Amino acid sequence: MVFGSFSFIFIFLPITVAGFFILGSRNNRLAAVWLVLASLFFYSWWDYRYLPILLTSITFNYLMCRHIIYAHESQRKRWLTISVIINLISLCYFKYVNFFILSINDVAGDNLPLLNIILPIGISFFTFTQISLLVDAYNNKVKEMSFTNYVLFASYFPYIVAGPILHHKEMMPQFADAANYRISANNFAVGLALFVFGLAKKLLIADNLVFVVDPVFANHNPQFIQAWVGLLAYTFQLYFDFSGYSDMAIGVSRLMGFQLPLNFNSPYKAASISDFWLRWHMSLSRFLRNYLYIPLGGNRHGLRKRYRNLMLTMLLGGLWHGANWTFVIWGGLHGFYLCVQHGWQFLMSKRTKSATPVFGFAYRVLTFFAVIIAWCFFRAPNVASALDVLAGMAGMNGVSFVTEINPFGYVMLVISACIAFYMPNTNEIFLYIDSCYDKSCPSFSIYRLKWSPSLRWGLVTGLIFALCILSMERTQDFIYAQF
């Protein structure tokens, strides 16, 4: 059951929200239990075999969290180490065992059989979410919590498939706040509008770019124009697909009074790679920084170790996305980019002359170019295919102005680029009214749109929703659901 399906929009979501508020008007705990059951049903809808894996993970981590909180000081680190290792072993087994077997077969020429392993959807998200809670429990940032609220935190259906990665300090207080179990007209209005605009990103933009992208990566030796158009189309398809999912997740959660963390802030407007990671998949960036980069030493032990920590963090971040060497290369490229950026900034810091607007524009163009080159490995099924597309972009496969790309694909590419580069994002349109809105990464936009619960916005939202309904039968799976 995906967010963009008839069964979710017209059956699951109305029943879940109605049951939540009916029970919430009587007893908050009953409403929380109802939301837990709805979340488990939503997750098991994909494949009932996923549910025992999720429940085992939740039960184990809840018990480990209690052990860490109440254990003697001399025992707490041991419990943390055991719990994190078991979580990582579980993640590696389900996600990477066959990848390791294939790698051994390729290197050693063996023919070891692959294991018949079920890969639970969203396992990276709920595993990382719980690991962060275990680490914070060890650092005395987590106190006693009810089992119901913990299960709700770990299985909450708006995030479970493709994030964002949740943090306990953002969600647990909300689950304990009685005010969130009461209907709010403002929450309903904001939530519905956010959901519809996220749905439009997915159905009207991302899914219409698929038909431009797929032939390029399926075709051998794509020529210059086809390779560039295909990779640019994927660059925007990925953004609108994942950003659309995040907007829908935030909107669905807002309907029930809970605010998920922001996950995107116009990443293609970034002026550097570090700026890009402050804007792209923000919850993952925060996790990698707080639970990997900083524990490795961060930038506290000299430039050489700083660059080492950046590379290790991004390599592991790439591997987190999938069991393929293409993801490792993608992460390695971003690690390399970050090292080059910090080296350049170190050299430029010795100059007293301030940067000009021309430099700012050049930095944005260079950053975007670096990002799309890395996306080639992210999308390609294997390294050879990625190199083939890059060769086409360099003109090594020939140049032809006659392509098999449908003219509608070019129109969608231009529309998506204009929206991504020049329009305000949904955070700026809808969430400026919330105290949780992070203004640390302002974005340039040629328009300043401010949402309000007015007739004009209602008509716009209704029209967009109608267009989405007409496109719903041909919806594609969410890209990040595979991670």
Side-chain angles (χ1 to χ4, degrees):
M1 189 190 316
V2 297
F3 284 172
S5 65
F6 286 100
S7 56
F8 178 85
I9 295 175
F10 296 109
I11 300 176
F12 176 83
L13 186 59
I15 293 175
T16 299
V17 173
F20 174 75
F21 285 119
I22 291 172
L23 293 174
S25 64
R26 292 168 172 78
N27 185 289
N28 293 349
R29 182 172 292 276
L30 285 177
V33 171
W34 169 262
L35 203 50
V36 166
L37 295 175
S39 297
L40 297 178
F41 175 82
F42 175 83
Y43 188 71
S44 62
W45 182 272
W46 299 83
D47 191 328
Y48 70 91
R49 294 173 296 176
Y50 296 165
L51 187 58
I53 299 170
L54 174 64
L55 291 176
T56 301
S57 174
I58 290 173
T59 304
F60 169 78
N61 283 294
Y62 177 75
L63 295 175
M64 290 298 101
C65 187
R66 289 183 60 85
H67 277 301
I68 293 170
I69 293 173
Y70 293 111
H72 188 272
E73 190 65 30
S74 62
Q75 303 294 320
R76 298 174 75 242
K77 187 172 184 179
R78 184 178 70 177
W79 284 116
L80 173 65
T81 303
I82 292 172
S83 58
V84 171
I85 288 175
I86 291 178
N87 271 287
L88 293 178
I89 289 175
S90 174
L91 183 63
C92 287
Y93 171 76
F94 286 107
K95 198 167 183 178
Y96 302 109
V97 164
N98 282 333
F99 169 62
F100 293 142
I101 293 175
L102 286 172
S103 299
I104 292 172
N105 288 343
D106 290 340
V107 172
D110 293 333
N111 192 26
L112 300 175
L114 299 180
L115 302 182
N116 186 21
I117 297 175
I118 301 170
L119 178 60
I121 194 168
I123 186 172
S124 297
F125 289 99
F126 67 73
T127 300
F128 274 32
T129 291
Q130 294 181 97
I131 287 177
S132 67
L133 190 144
L134 293 169
V135 174
D136 285 347
Y138 173 76
N139 292 324
N140 298 312
K141 297 178 181 179
V142 178
K143 304 301 180 183
E144 176 61 40
M145 69 188 76
S146 71
F147 181 66
T148 300
N149 283 355
Y150 180 86
V151 177
L152 180 56
F153 168 72
S155 65
Y156 192 41
F157 76 87
Y159 103 94
I160 192 70
V161 172
I165 297 173
L166 302 184
H167 195 276
H168 69 90
K169 72 178 181 181
E170 295 169 332
M171 301 307 299
M172 289 298 192
Q174 295 188 65
F175 293 148
D177 188 353
N180 291 330
Y181 293 82
R182 305 292 182 269
I183 295 178
S184 165
N186 182 67
N187 285 339
F188 250 83
V190 174
L192 284 174
L194 268 171
F195 180 84
V196 169
F197 274 70
L199 187 64
K201 285 183 180 181
K202 166 64 176 170
L203 296 180
L204 303 184
I205 301 178
D207 285 357
N208 280 314
L209 290 170
V210 173
F211 308 105
V212 181
V213 176
D214 287 351
V216 173
F217 286 90
N219 182 23
H220 294 294
N221 303 318
Q223 295 191 340
F224 182 77
I225 293 177
Q226 185 183 25
W228 271 101
V229 170
L231 188 54
L232 284 170
Y234 178 70
T235 297
F236 295 112
Q237 179 207 353
L238 179 64
Y239 170 68
F240 284 105
D241 186 281
F242 194 18
S243 174
Y245 177 93
S246 295
D247 287 346
M248 283 188 275
I250 293 173
V252 167
S253 186
R254 187 64 179 267
L255 285 173
M256 296 174 289
F258 304 119
Q259 295 185 8
L260 294 182
L262 302 180
N263 218 19
F264 287 89
N265 191 19
S266 297
Y268 294 155
K269 299 176 184 178
S272 66
I273 293 298
S274 59
D275 186 22
F276 172 81
W277 280 102
L278 287 174
R279 299 168 178 271
W280 173 273
H281 205 343
M282 295 154 67
S283 61
L284 176 63
S285 302
R286 177 181 61 183
F287 180 92
L288 293 175
R289 181 189 68 236
N290 293 343
Y291 299 101
L292 190 55
Y293 177 68
I294 292 177
L296 284 172
N299 58 359
R300 299 190 299 272
H301 304 293
L303 288 177
R304 189 175 69 176
K305 290 188 176 179
R306 179 187 192 180
Y307 295 150
R308 179 204 66 184
N309 295 338
L310 284 171
M311 284 299 301
L312 285 174
T313 299
M314 297 313 299
L315 283 170
L316 292 172
L319 189 59
W320 174 86
H321 281 82
N324 196 318
W325 286 110
T326 55
F327 293 113
V328 177
I329 294 173
W330 172 78
L333 282 173
H334 275 274
F336 173 73
Y337 295 158
L338 287 169
C339 292
V340 171
Q341 174 201 320
H342 288 294
W344 174 255
Q345 289 174 339
F346 176 76
L347 293 175
M348 292 297 291
S349 66
K350 298 182 179 298
R351 299 181 57 181
T352 57
K353 187 177 180 180
S354 60
T356 64
V358 174
F359 271 97
F361 177 76
Y363 289 155
R364 283 178 167 79
V365 172
L366 183 60
T367 299
F368 182 70
F369 178 77
V371 167
I372 64 174
I373 294 300
W375 281 145
C376 186
F377 290 93
F378 194 89
R379 168 59 178 82
N382 51 60
V383 176
S385 177
L387 294 176
D388 202 22
V389 174
L390 291 177
M393 293 172 65
M396 298 172 63
N397 297 333
V399 178
S400 173
F401 292 96
V402 179
T403 69
E404 298 177 358
I405 299 174
N406 190 303
F408 179 69
Y410 290 101
V411 173
M412 289 305 306
L413 182 59
V414 171
I415 291 173
S416 59
C418 290
I419 294 173
F421 289 132
Y422 300 114
M423 295 295 289
N425 58 49
T426 46
N427 306 338
E428 296 165 323
I429 295 172
F430 292 101
L431 300 183
Y432 70 95
I433 59 176
D434 293 333
S435 60
C436 69
Y437 177 43
D438 180 7
K439 299 181 178 63
S440 61
C441 295
S443 298
F444 165 78
S445 303
I446 60 175
Y447 296 108
R448 290 289 184 267
L449 298 176
K450 299 295 185 183
W451 176 89
S452 62
S454 62
L455 177 61
R456 181 187 62 164
W457 277 106
L459 292 174
V460 170
T461 304
L463 175 61
I464 293 174
F465 183 64
L467 293 174
C468 291
I469 294 299
L470 296 176
S471 304
M472 201 171 289
E473 287 187 356
R474 54 184 178 84
T475 183
Q476 305 288 320
D477 290 339
F478 287 101
I479 295 174
Y480 258 72
Q482 65 181 298
F483 306 138

